[in-house]
Amino acid sequence: MKDIAREAGVSISLVSYVLNDKNTGRINADTAKRIKDIAKKLNYQTNQIARSLQNKKTYTIGLIVADISNFFYSYIAGFIEDEVNKYGYNVLFGSAYENPKRFMDLLKVMVSRQVDGLILAIPDGAEECISYVQSLSIPFVIIDREFPQFKGLNTVCLDNYRSSEMVVERFYELGCRRMAAIGLDNNLFHLSERNRGFSEAAAKLVGADNVTTVKVAENVLEEQVENQLRAIVYGNKVDSICFMTNKIAMAALPILLSWGIKIPQNLSVICYDEAEAYKLFPYPISYVKQPLKDMSIEAVRFLMETSQSKVLGVQRFPAELISLKGY
Amino acid sequence: MKDIAREAGVSISLVSYVLNDKNTGRINADTAKRIKDIAKKLNYQTNQIARSLQNKKTYTIGLIVADISNFFYSYIAGFIEDEVNKYGYNVLFGSAYENPKRFMDLLKVMVSRQVDGLILAIPDGAEECISYVQSLSIPFVIIDREFPQFKGLNTVCLDNYRSSEMVVERFYELGCRRMAAIGLDNNLFHLSERNRGFSEAAAKLVGADNVTTVKVAENVLEEQVENQLRAIVYGNKVDSICFMTNKIAMAALPILLSWGIKIPQNLSVICYDEAEAYKLFPYPISYVKQPLKDMSIEAVRFLMETSQSKVLGVQRFPAELISLKGY
DNA sequence: CTGAAAGCGCTTACAG
DNA sequence: CTGAAAGCGCTTACAG
């Protein structure tokens, strides 16, 4: 800006006004044009750092996901990026890998970088991070997960309870009367709700004796999925099974395939989350689709309009049950 | 910092020195401890924006990929994030969606945000962006793609020519004598090299008459893949086919499946890029694995050590041919 | 219609 | 061992 001012023979202030289209009414049109031309000639790009320091606004949204290389979060990241761009914002991202300490570190980095808002997928066991982020004056919204023990959190997530009720209802329509679900063994509330929705709806429709629900640990997922699957399919002789997360589905489906189990003749299967991979599976896979785009848009919209300090509360989005090849 | 200084009864300068562990030798240990304690009590986080303005260093790397929701780039993004974190840096990312204008806009945003380095997957037709980024004083490295018409570019990519030679050699070992490849119809050099490597190696081994190579347009990929596949498989009666990008593979495999084609009995198939999805395919899929982690690490390493203004040149990483279920 | 000045929150060379 | 001062590149209220 100093260079532009010198070359145009005006003050830095004036350059600033012109380049930001402020005070346009009172500025000589010729001078304005001259300044703009020089700026273009010099290939001037605002130093956003300096501007941010003055404005106390960085036009940056911090996004902390569990793992950017997981397609669930990379989809979300893509939608969020597209959406914040519409408002002239950019995304600073980080993966916490479900690690509370790493999450806290990322949070502090985002804070020190003065992000204007945060979108957070908070890991299991990071409750103290919630208190911390609440103590900040940065607007934030929690995505995908729920923490009901904290009041007044702005949250965008799936209606998890209802989503697994839908799964059960579909199984029932298909004539299934012995249902199973494999879920993840952790304390994340949204996953408990999924499990609860399944168990309660299934018990009501076919009786608790005909419902099997098991949980597998994340760190030995492959191995436990195989063992549990064997017990459920060959032991309990169920006619339907729901994989409650996409990772479980990706571990379980190849095993069913290797056992020569036919879907849906031998077993009805419904998975959570949309995956391009289902296209490569030789049997039709129904799945619970989360409206990730709508959820992302809502999260961003809230942050952008939060200056009016509105409250979002917990927004639970309805799931959609998709039948890939119609069953 | 002002608050800390006031509470500690010292100057802001001193607080700065202590918090940054500078001049440690000359500072009273007690004073230092007192300042650090107060900082902790006040939950002080440096304002990186102010620091960056002064230091002319933002500790931010700009990453522009084609599409963050594509697993190829989300893997890269994950690796790059992990790696830059080791140096105390963060990642500002953007997806250009293969659109040169969008790419240029993202580039300018990154510039105005004073990123310390750039990692770029430059789209087809964005050559003028290269001149632009070269005119800047920001170190940058191109990832995945090559632009040989520009000299002195620092590039990290696959040894694409050699990779498809390997594919051909594998087909040949398997006894295949009529080979085909489906590639993408654009001008990206790295993809041409893949195609060229395939054509030349195949012509040498089985004669040009026994080699079919076709290209499909990105925007009507699904449809063209189906048509080309029909012509190749039923018309040309090839015994082996290589899908030159992961998108082509994801479009083609379900079609082969629906036609009841058995792999490798009826047709040998090799795809580009590692995809979790292959696990769900009922036949073994061999694929060309790019060492994305090594490539990401190298790109970051170069940026971090570029202060010594070294030259990287074009680093071509060797591909690995993976047989999922050994064929 | 335009400019001088203060200030955003830091860092650091310099003086004491 | 510590502090006053200048400055990073902008913005904006104020004066003229």
Side-chain angles (χ1 to χ4, degrees):
Chain A
M1 277 184 41
K2 209 197 290 177
D3 298 342
I4 297 174
R6 191 185 331 104
E7 188 152 339
V10 298
S11 72
I12 292 176
S13 323
L14 197 55
V15 174
S16 173
Y17 285 128
V18 169
L19 263 29
N20 290 304
D21 283 319
K22 298 217 166 156
N23 281 342
T24 40
R26 289 181 281 157
I27 294 170
N28 184 324
D30 289 348
T31 318
K33 179 156 179 10
R34 193 152 43 90
I35 290 174
K36 285 185 175 173
D37 288 347
I38 294 173
K40 188 162 291 175
K41 195 187 74 184
L42 263 42
N43 225 325
Y44 171 77
Q45 290 293 133
T46 312
N47 182 325
Q48 282 290 355
I49 298 295
R51 173 188 281 193
S52 293
L53 181 59
Q54 176 63 251
N55 283 348
K56 299 175 171 315
K57 214 163 170 0
T58 55
Y59 294 94
T60 305
I61 294 296
L63 170 67
I64 309 183
V65 297
D67 182 358
I68 191 72
S69 65
N70 180 186
F71 61 82
F72 181 78
Y73 290 109
S74 73
Y75 283 159
I76 289 180
F79 291 132
I80 286 177
E81 188 213 347
D82 294 344
E83 193 61 19
V84 301
N85 279 348
K86 293 180 190 162
Y87 296 85
Y89 279 65
N90 290 96
V91 178
L92 193 73
F93 87 89
S95 300
Y97 302 112
E98 306 289 1
N99 177 342
K101 168 153 181 356
R102 207 179 135 76
F103 184 83
M104 187 57 131
D105 290 346
L106 280 169
L107 215 44
K108 286 186 175 162
V109 166
M110 303 270 176
V111 170
S112 74
R113 286 166 177 274
Q114 319 290 120
V115 297
D116 296 332
L118 286 163
I119 297 178
L120 307 171
I122 301 179
D124 190 15
E127 281 73 12
E128 71 164 313
C129 299
I130 301 184
S131 314
Y132 173 66
V133 73
Q134 279 183 315
S135 75
L136 270 23
S137 51
I138 304 176
F140 69 101
V141 14
I142 296 172
I143 196 154
D144 181 42
R145 296 152 187 216
E146 277 188 74
F147 296 85
Q149 64 272 45
F150 289 80
K151 294 302 162 207
L153 292 179
N154 297 310
T155 306
V156 165
C157 62
L158 189 70
D159 187 341
N160 281 286
Y161 186 91
R162 175 68 195 131
S163 72
S164 54
E165 269 188 349
M166 287 167 66
V167 170
V168 170
E169 289 163 8
R170 174 63 58 94
F171 279 152
Y172 193 80
E173 284 167 18
L174 293 169
C176 302
R177 293 299 180 266
R178 290 185 60 79
M179 305 179 187
I182 302 185
L184 219 47
D185 186 19
N186 63 27
N187 297 313
L188 286 168
F189 181 77
H190 75 294
L191 293 180
S192 316
E193 283 298 280
R194 260 182 218 179
N195 296 338
R196 194 168 67 87
F198 187 91
S199 300
E200 294 186 359
K204 216 169 78 182
L205 284 181
V206 299
D209 290 349
N210 292 311
V211 182
T212 312
T213 59
V214 297
K215 291 183 181 179
V216 293
E218 180 117 45
N219 51 339
V220 285
L221 193 131
E222 303 266 337
E223 183 191 327
Q224 293 199 0
V225 165
E226 174 148 13
N227 293 337
Q228 295 289 5
L229 212 47
R230 184 175 293 116
I232 291 169
V233 173
Y234 295 116
N236 296 29
K237 301 208 190 301
V238 302
D239 53 21
S240 48
I241 188 163
C242 178
F243 302 121
M244 306 298 271
T245 77
N246 65 58
K247 280 193 184 169
I248 294 173
M250 292 302 290
L253 291 174
I255 296 172
L256 293 180
L257 194 58
S258 72
W259 290 345
I261 289 181
K262 293 188 173 34
I263 300 169
Q265 296 91 318
N266 302 355
L267 189 69
S268 288
V269 172
I270 299 182
C271 303
Y272 263 80
D273 297 334
E274 184 166 35
E276 222 192 345
Y278 299 152
K279 292 199 306 181
L280 302 198
F281 200 66
Y283 302 109
I285 293 294
S286 295
Y287 58 90
V288 174
K289 181 179 174 180
Q290 301 197 37
L292 296 184
K293 185 168 183 181
D294 295 344
M295 290 161 68
S296 304
I297 289 176
E298 177 66 10
V300 170
R301 193 199 59 73
F302 173 73
L303 288 182
M304 293 303 160
E305 295 170 6
T306 203
S307 43
Q308 301 119 54
S309 74
K310 284 182 194 156
V311 171
L312 183 67
V314 179
Q315 289 276 337
R316 293 195 188 85
F317 282 68
E320 198 183 345
L321 197 49
I322 308 276
S323 304
L324 196 57
K325 296 164 191 170
Y327 81 90
Chain B
M1 276 185 44
K2 209 196 291 178
D3 298 342
I4 298 173
R6 191 184 333 104
E7 187 152 342
V10 298
S11 72
I12 292 177
S13 322
L14 198 55
V15 173
S16 173
Y17 285 128
V18 168
L19 261 29
N20 291 304
D21 282 320
K22 297 218 165 155
N23 281 342
T24 39
R26 288 180 282 156
I27 294 170
N28 184 325
D30 290 347
T31 318
K33 180 156 181 6
R34 192 153 43 90
I35 290 174
K36 284 186 175 174
D37 288 347
I38 294 173
K40 188 161 292 176
K41 196 186 73 183
L42 263 42
N43 225 325
Y44 172 76
Q45 290 294 132
T46 312
N47 182 325
Q48 281 291 355
I49 297 295
R51 175 188 278 193
S52 292
L53 182 59
Q54 176 64 251
N55 283 349
K56 299 173 171 318
K57 216 165 168 359
T58 55
Y59 294 94
T60 305
I61 294 296
L63 170 66
I64 308 182
V65 296
D67 182 358
I68 191 72
S69 65
N70 180 186
F71 61 82
F72 181 77
Y73 290 107
S74 73
Y75 283 160
I76 289 180
F79 291 133
I80 286 177
E81 188 212 347
D82 294 345
E83 194 62 19
V84 301
N85 279 348
K86 293 181 191 162
Y87 296 86
Y89 280 64
N90 290 95
V91 177
L92 192 73
F93 86 90
S95 300
Y97 302 112
E98 306 289 2
N99 177 342
K101 169 155 181 356
R102 207 179 135 77
F103 183 83
M104 188 56 130
D105 290 346
L106 280 168
L107 215 43
K108 286 185 175 161
V109 167
M110 304 270 175
V111 170
S112 74
R113 286 167 176 274
Q114 318 292 120
V115 297
D116 296 332
L118 286 162
I119 298 179
L120 307 171
I122 301 179
D124 189 14
E127 281 73 12
E128 70 164 313
C129 298
I130 301 184
S131 314
Y132 173 66
V133 73
Q134 279 183 314
S135 75
L136 271 22
S137 51
I138 305 176
F140 69 101
V141 15
I142 295 172
I143 195 153
D144 181 42
R145 297 154 186 214
E146 276 188 75
F147 296 85
Q149 64 272 44
F150 289 81
K151 294 302 161 206
L153 292 179
N154 298 309
T155 305
V156 165
C157 62
L158 188 71
D159 187 340
N160 281 285
Y161 186 91
R162 176 66 197 133
S163 71
S164 54
E165 270 188 348
M166 289 166 64
V167 170
V168 169
E169 291 163 6
R170 174 64 57 94
F171 279 152
Y172 194 81
E173 284 168 20
L174 294 170
C176 303
R177 293 300 180 267
R178 290 185 60 78
M179 305 180 186
I182 301 185
L184 220 46
D185 187 19
N186 63 27
N187 297 312
L188 286 168
F189 181 78
H190 74 293
L191 293 180
S192 316
E193 283 298 280
R194 259 183 219 180
N195 297 338
R196 194 169 67 88
F198 187 91
S199 301
E200 294 185 0
K204 217 170 78 182
L205 284 181
V206 299
D209 290 349
N210 292 311
V211 182
T212 312
T213 59
V214 297
K215 291 183 179 176
V216 293
E218 180 118 46
N219 51 339
V220 286
L221 194 131
E222 303 267 336
E223 183 191 325
Q224 294 199 1
V225 164
E226 173 148 16
N227 292 337
Q228 296 289 5
L229 212 47
R230 185 174 293 117
I232 291 168
V233 174
Y234 295 115
N236 295 30
K237 302 209 188 300
V238 301
D239 54 21
S240 48
I241 188 162
C242 178
F243 301 121
M244 306 299 270
T245 77
N246 65 59
K247 280 192 183 168
I248 294 174
M250 292 302 290
L253 292 174
I255 296 172
L256 294 180
L257 194 57
S258 72
W259 290 345
I261 290 181
K262 293 189 172 35
I263 299 169
Q265 297 89 316
N266 303 355
L267 189 68
S268 287
V269 172
I270 299 182
C271 302
Y272 263 80
D273 298 335
E274 185 167 36
E276 221 192 346
Y278 299 153
K279 290 199 305 183
L280 302 197
F281 200 66
Y283 302 109
I285 294 294
S286 296
Y287 59 91
V288 174
K289 180 180 175 181
Q290 300 196 39
L292 295 184
K293 183 168 185 183
D294 294 344
M295 290 161 67
S296 303
I297 290 176
E298 177 65 10
V300 171
R301 193 199 59 73
F302 173 73
L303 288 182
M304 294 301 162
E305 295 170 6
T306 203
S307 43
Q308 299 120 54
S309 74
K310 283 182 195 158
V311 170
L312 182 68
V314 179
Q315 288 275 337
R316 294 195 188 83
F317 282 69
E320 199 183 345
L321 198 49
I322 308 277
S323 304
L324 196 57
K325 296 165 192 170
Y327 81 91

